[in-house]
């Protein structure tokens, strides 16, 4: 398998396009304000079947050499549309593409050696709501906060171009372009460069399982999509006729972020929605290409999958039949911790909440590993072969954009849990053997929500989203009037972080706890180990306490308000509320978490 690297055209003469079913392709060059477009008929390229370009040495080719910077295509005489590989769309996803190259001399990260993301502390953020301005440049100003927190890598929600001014980014339609309101491609390059200057790696969230409902012109050019659908729309053509070019379109896009934008890893959205019947799955093809690029660049590159399949093949080595991805998100860990601490049991939390289930995910990774899922009404998942897969191949979190934003009102755990409960969740995630990830603002128990918000310019599309969102939650007992209108700009504005909060006494206490726990993780060999064999669990469900043991350390969680003795000898180092030492154990009320060195390791073997 080989995929030629994508190279953005320097002049209009370099522009080519894949349109295998077209009878004619016309390049419209110009299109700047006050200028007329020049029409240039393209010809099929004999060296690349299905591709069109200007005939070498023709008058058309020479005409494009002096053309203005913007261009569009007309396929078979239809209305002009932008380039599927447009690298900049200054007027939005319906406008003309612009010739653009990143300034190679603008980078200052020449000494950046990269970072192995497994075991690193990740921090997920949304550019539009991370700061009041919602731009790459304003996000750069807050990066020192992440460094002081102890974060190793920033995971950025999708930044590829979508229609409208603001949204989560998963409705992208121009995968090679960067959303202009955030700052466009140059702004993203500045952001990555600034992260590297502060020692922060960058992970970019990318969506290859569907395209958004507005501005998707790919079907104009060729069979990019299939008749099959997933939860969000038409599926990408990954294994049907003419799918080679579609796969190359995806792989080329992934490598562009990693190579041209110096990104350190990609989070692959909802890979369970990729319909691929080939022997070489797209995910494995992506992993092979990424590993090859890492070897070429001399720095680590990591692919992180989001999947609800509980299928360990994603992260198993290719030598034993796996896809060889670096890591995957693990919702089972979130569900087990959240249900245990919060007491919520609705929807997919129904099977979670027991302390035995919490112990199972902390020591084995998956709760559903072939067990019956009442939410799915079938058996689900398969066990992780812990002898060949390390625990740090799983990404764990107390919350993320989905687990907050897909609640009816977008309420964070800080809206309904107290400080002790939040501290329990943080300690279990940050001191587990997994790769921990925070969601922006959780470190100070932010009061601001993170709701689902959109800005579809088409009234009918906006109304469909609004109605669908409210109907969905009405089925689960919510009053429609309580569900925020995704199209209301106020829903977006309320979702922005309030950077005055971290200095407030209550928020500052939580922030300091997060800093201390992260620092303890990084300075303690037992707590930074990423293998399954490094964690043990013990608990007393009747008394309401749970302990995660890491070598000579213990994370003891008091889940109830009652003061109870915990028969584990401990020298406390960190805690949410102080505890009373007692012979062979501690005495504490809850909710509380206590972290310390075991006085007798053999006591809890």
């Amino acid at each position: 398998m080989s995929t030629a690297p994508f190279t953005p055209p320097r002049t209009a003469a370099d522009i080519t396009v894949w349109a295998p079913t077209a009878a004619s392709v016309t390049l419209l060059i110009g299109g700047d304000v006050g200028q007329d477009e020049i029409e240039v008929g393209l010809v099929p390229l004999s060296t690349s079947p299905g591709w069109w370009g200007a005939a070498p040495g023709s008058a058309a080719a020479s005409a494009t050499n002096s053309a203005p910077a913007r261009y569009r295509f007309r396929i078979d005489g239809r209305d002009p549309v932008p380039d599927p590989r447009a690298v900049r769309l200054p007027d939005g996803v319906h406008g003309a593409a612009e010739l653009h190259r990143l300034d190679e001399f603008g980078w200052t990260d020449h000494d950046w050696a990269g970072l192995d993301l497994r075991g690193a502390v990740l921090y997920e953020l949304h550019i539009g709501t991370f700061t009041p301005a919602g731009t790459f440049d304003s996000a750069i100003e807050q990066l020192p906060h992440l460094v002081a927190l102890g974060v190793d890598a920033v995971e950025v929600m999708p930044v590829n171009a979508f229609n409208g001014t603001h949204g989560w980014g998963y409705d992208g339609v121009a995968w090679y372009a960067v959303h202009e309101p955030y700052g466009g491609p140059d702004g993203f390059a500045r952001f990555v460069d600034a992260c590297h200057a502060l020692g922060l790696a960058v992970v970019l969230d990318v969506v290859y399982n569907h395209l958004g409902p507005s501005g998707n012109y790919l079907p104009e050019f060729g069979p990019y999509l299939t008749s099959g659908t997933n939860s969000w729309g038409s599926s990408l053509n990954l294994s049907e006729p003419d799918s080679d070019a579609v796969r190359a379109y995806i792989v080329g896009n992934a490598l562009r972020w990693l190579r041209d934008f110096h990104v350190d890893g990609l989070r692959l959205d909802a890979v369970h929605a990729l319909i691929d019947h080939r022997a070489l799955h797209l995910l494995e093809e992506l992993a092979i290409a990424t590993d090859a690029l890492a070897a070429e660049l001399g720095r680590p590159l990591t692919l992180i999958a989001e999947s609800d399949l509980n299928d360990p093949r994603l992260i198993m080595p290719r030598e034993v039949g796996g896809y060889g991805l670096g890591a995957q998100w693990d919702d089972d860990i979130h569900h087990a911790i959240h249900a245990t601490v919060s007491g919520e049991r609705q929807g997919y939390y129904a099977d979670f909440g027991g302390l035995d289930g919490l112990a199972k995910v902390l020591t084995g990774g998956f709760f559903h590993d072939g067990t019956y899922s009442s939410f799915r009404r079938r058996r689900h998942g398969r066990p992780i072969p812990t002898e060949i897969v390390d625990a740090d191949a799983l990404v764990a979190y107390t919350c993320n954009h989905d687990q907050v934003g897909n609640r009816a009102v977008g309420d964070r755990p800080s809206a309904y849990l107290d400080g002790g409960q939040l501290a329990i969740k943080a300690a279990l995630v940050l001191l587990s053997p997994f790769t921990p990830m925070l969601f922006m603002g959780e470190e100070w128990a932010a009061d601001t929500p993170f709701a689902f918000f959109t800005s579809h310019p088409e009234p009918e599309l906006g109304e469909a989203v609004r109605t669908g969102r409210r109907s969905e939650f009405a089925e689960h007992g919510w009053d429609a009037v309580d569900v925020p209108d995704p199209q209301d700009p106020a829903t977006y504005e309320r979702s922005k972080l309030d950077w005055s909060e971290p200095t407030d006494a209550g928020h500052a206490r939580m922030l300091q706890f997060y800093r201390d726990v992260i620092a303890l993780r990084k300075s303690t060999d037992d707590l930074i180990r990423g293998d399954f064999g490094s964690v043990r669990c013990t608990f007393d469900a009747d008394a309401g306490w749970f302990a995660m043991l890491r070598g000579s350390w213990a994370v003891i969680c008091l889940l109830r308000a009652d003061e109870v003795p915990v028969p584990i000898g401990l020298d406390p180092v960190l805690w949410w509320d102080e505890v009373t030492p007692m012979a062979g154990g501690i005495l504490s009320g809850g909710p509380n978490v206590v972290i310390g060195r075991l006085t007798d390791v053999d006591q809890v073997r």
Side-chain angles (χ1 to χ4, degrees):
M1 186 280 302
S2 64
T3 299
F6 168 76
T7 303
R10 291 187 179 275
T11 71
D14 301 325
I15 296 171
T16 58
V17 67
W18 183 66
T21 60
S24 67
V25 178
T26 302
L27 175 66
L28 308 178
I29 52 180
D32 291 325
V33 176
Q35 295 180 335
D36 294 329
E37 289 180 309
I38 302 171
E39 296 192 10
V40 176
L42 302 184
V43 299
L45 300 179
S46 58
T47 55
S48 303
W51 286 82
W52 298 69
S58 68
S62 61
T64 62
N65 279 317
S66 58
R70 297 192 182 184
Y71 68 98
R72 299 184 292 173
F73 294 108
R74 178 180 287 120
I75 309 297
D76 292 339
R78 296 189 291 268
D79 291 339
V81 291
D83 187 352
R85 289 169 174 75
V87 295
R88 188 173 181 217
L89 292 166
D91 298 323
V93 299
H94 298 295
E98 180 177 283
L99 295 174
H100 179 274
R101 286 288 188 101
L102 293 172
D103 180 8
E104 285 301 316
F105 298 102
W107 293 97
T108 64
D109 65 348
H110 312 296
D111 296 329
W112 174 249
L115 180 70
D116 183 351
L117 296 175
R118 297 205 307 185
V121 178
L122 309 182
Y123 186 96
E124 185 189 21
L125 64 83
H126 175 264
I127 291 294
T129 54
F130 185 56
T131 63
T135 65
F136 294 120
D137 289 333
S138 62
I140 290 172
E141 298 175 8
Q142 297 299 348
L143 293 180
H145 165 83
L146 303 185
V147 175
L149 177 61
V151 165
D152 298 308
V154 178
E155 182 170 311
V156 184
M157 288 173 64
V159 301
N160 53 276
F162 59 89
N163 199 22
T165 57
H166 56 267
W168 279 18
Y170 297 93
D171 278 341
V173 290
W175 290 353
Y176 282 73
V178 178
H179 194 51
E180 284 294 319
Y182 292 163
D186 295 317
F188 186 46
R190 289 192 298 272
F191 176 81
V192 175
D193 196 52
C195 286
H196 288 171
L198 293 173
L200 297 170
V202 178
V203 181
L204 179 63
D205 199 339
V206 291
V207 184
Y208 296 137
N209 55 64
H210 77 288
L211 290 104
S214 179
N216 174 20
Y217 294 108
L218 291 185
E220 294 277 331
F221 293 88
Y224 280 91
L225 306 178
T226 72
S227 57
T229 61
N230 56 39
S231 301
W232 306 283
S234 298
S235 298
L236 272 292
N237 176 16
L238 302 180
S239 51
E240 295 183 10
D242 294 316
S243 57
D244 285 355
V246 179
R247 294 167 75 101
Y249 179 76
I250 294 172
V251 175
N253 177 257
L255 298 183
R256 170 166 165 76
W257 296 120
L258 297 167
R259 180 195 300 271
D260 296 358
F261 285 93
H262 300 199
V263 165
D264 301 283
L266 300 176
R267 182 259 188 191
L268 308 173
D269 178 69
V271 299
H272 51 268
L274 297 171
I275 309 302
D276 186 0
H277 300 296
R278 293 203 194 189
L280 179 65
H281 194 280
L282 175 69
L283 293 176
E284 185 175 357
E285 187 173 342
L286 275 169
I288 293 170
T290 299
D291 290 348
L293 181 60
E296 176 188 332
L297 298 178
R299 60 182 173 90
L301 301 173
T302 307
L303 297 182
I304 303 173
E306 181 205 16
S307 171
D308 73 354
L309 299 177
N310 283 17
D311 186 350
R313 285 178 296 182
L314 298 176
I315 49 177
M316 287 169 55
R318 289 191 290 276
E319 294 78 12
V320 293
Y323 293 160
L325 302 180
Q328 74 164 84
W329 279 25
D330 190 333
D331 276 350
D332 277 14
I333 300 171
H334 168 271
H335 297 350
I337 294 175
H338 180 79
T340 298
V341 174
S342 71
E344 291 189 347
R345 298 291 189 276
Q346 75 277 15
Y348 45 63
Y349 294 135
D351 296 332
F352 297 87
L355 298 187
D356 54 346
L358 179 57
K360 180 178 181 179
V361 299
L362 291 175
T363 56
F366 290 157
F367 179 80
H368 285 303
D369 54 4
T371 60
Y372 183 79
S373 165
S374 63
F375 177 70
R376 299 173 178 85
R377 296 184 358 209
R378 60 171 175 80
R379 296 175 69 86
H380 183 66
R382 64 188 300 174
I384 295 173
T386 55
E387 70 280 4
I388 60 172
V389 174
D390 284 334
D392 59 11
L394 302 175
V395 178
Y397 30 83
T398 71
C399 56
N400 57 42
H401 73 272
D402 275 329
Q403 302 303 335
V404 176
N406 283 329
R407 294 173 69 90
V409 297
D411 51 337
R412 295 170 176 267
S414 52
Y416 51 89
L417 300 180
D418 66 22
Q421 291 172 308
L422 297 175
I424 290 171
K425 295 178 71 173
L428 286 175
V429 165
L430 287 167
L431 300 180
S432 73
F434 310 116
T435 294
M437 183 181 74
L438 313 183
F439 181 61
M440 61 176 196
E442 80 162 84
E443 70 272 23
W444 71 73
D447 289 332
T448 51
F450 184 76
F452 180 70
F453 47 81
T454 55
S455 59
H456 297 298
E458 302 89 345
E460 67 282 359
L461 182 55
E463 181 58 32
V465 171
R466 180 186 300 112
T467 302
R469 185 81 174 171
R470 289 178 169 170
S471 297
E472 175 186 355
F473 285 104
E475 294 176 0
H476 297 283
W478 288 85
D479 192 326
V481 299
D482 294 331
V483 180
D485 178 1
Q487 284 285 110
D488 185 347
T491 302
Y492 169 60
E493 292 298 327
R494 283 194 298 268
S495 297
K496 295 190 176 188
L497 289 180
D498 179 355
W499 283 92
S500 69
E501 288 184 349
T503 59
D504 175 80
H507 293 295
R509 181 187 177 193
M510 183 63 71
L511 178 58
Q512 189 59 52
F513 180 79
Y514 267 81
R515 287 174 174 168
D516 290 344
V517 173
I518 292 172
L520 182 63
R521 170 190 172 87
K522 291 188 170 186
S523 63
T524 308
D525 290 342
D526 282 344
L527 298 177
I528 205 168
R529 285 179 59 184
D531 58 297
F532 282 103
S534 69
V535 60
R536 295 169 290 135
C537 296
T538 184
F539 57 87
D540 186 331
D542 293 332
W545 62 263
F546 180 93
M548 178 176 68
L549 310 172
R550 307 290 315 278
S552 60
W553 286 76
V555 179
I556 300 178
C557 307
L558 291 304
L559 300 166
R560 302 175 188 164
D562 312 7
E563 188 172 63
V564 298
V566 179
I568 297 177
L570 195 73
D571 287 330
V573 174
L574 286 176
W575 53 83
W576 182 252
D577 288 320
E578 290 194 41
V579 299
T580 302
M582 52 178 278
I586 60 173
L587 183 68
S588 176
N592 190 23
V593 62
V594 187
I595 305 157
R597 295 184 182 88
L598 295 166
T599 56
D600 184 356
V601 175
D602 292 330
Q603 177 191 19
V604 289
R605 286 198 182 277

